[in-house]
Amino acid sequence: MARVVASGNTVDHRQPGYFQVLMRRVREAGVEDRFLSVGTVPYLDLVALMAGSVAVINPSRFEGWSTTVEEAKSLGKTVLLSDLRVHREQAPPRGHYFAPDDADGLLGATGADPPEVVPGDEVARAVEEYRAADVPDARPDDRVPAVTLSPDE
């Protein structure tokens, strides 16, 4: 069974209570076992989540140049993106687009390019290589949002 793993701040002053509404909808849909929110995570943990995922989802309604898309591209991941001009400009090779408010379109995009499942030992190796790399401006305590689709368990 595939699982969506969401990271990011669960509190937003612009829309208080949104996270609670989201989690209620997850319960109402009966998919609690397929959706996991991990909150904000250290950057290296995010890289591990992305490296171990079969796809990265960026369902934004507005986006500047997305580092999440660039990171997913660098990891060779399938990226499911809301159909925004900037996402098209970033042109991920394994990018698939859907309208921001179209759940069925997102569902259709998941089957557009069957992603490869990365074995756990490959994930661990990728994380170790990343940690060993001299990456400017990457700090272990950086916290950034992303949504990943984890492999079947």
Side-chain angles (χ1 to χ4, degrees):
M1 165 180 48
R3 178 181 298 171
V4 173
V5 179
S7 69
N9 199 335
T10 60
V11 177
D12 185 343
H13 71 279
R14 298 167 298 183
Q15 204 167 6
Y18 177 76
F19 181 74
Q20 290 73 21
V21 170
L22 172 67
M23 296 310 296
R24 186 181 75 238
R25 292 180 72 187
V26 166
R27 285 188 303 279
E28 288 170 355
V31 293
E32 302 97 326
D33 60 334
R34 300 166 113 192
F35 184 89
L36 174 65
S37 174
V38 295
T40 56
V41 297
Y43 182 73
L44 292 179
D45 292 347
L46 176 69
V47 172
L49 284 171
M50 290 177 79
S53 71
V54 295
V56 175
I57 306 169
N58 191 330
S60 298
R61 290 186 175 146
F62 173 82
E63 193 70 54
W65 196 262
S66 174
T67 56
T68 302
V69 173
E70 295 303 317
E71 290 160 340
K73 284 169 48 176
S74 74
L75 292 168
K77 294 297 172 181
T78 296
V79 190
L80 309 175
L81 302 155
S82 50
D83 196 359
L84 303 176
R85 185 176 179 170
V86 69
H87 284 160
R88 293 228 179 234
E89 288 174 18
Q90 287 185 274
R94 297 179 70 190
H96 304 283
Y97 304 92
F98 61 93
D101 293 313
D102 182 6
D104 290 332
L106 171 57
L107 184 60
T110 62
D113 181 18
E116 299 174 26
V117 175
V118 179
D121 57 338
E122 290 297 312
V123 173
R125 185 177 56 75
V127 171
E128 287 307 313
E129 286 177 8
Y130 181 84
R131 286 180 173 162
D134 184 18
V135 181
D137 300 320
R139 298 177 303 277
D141 60 342
D142 282 349
R143 296 175 186 269
V144 295
V147 178
T148 62
L149 182 64
S150 67
D152 293 345
E153 294 182 347

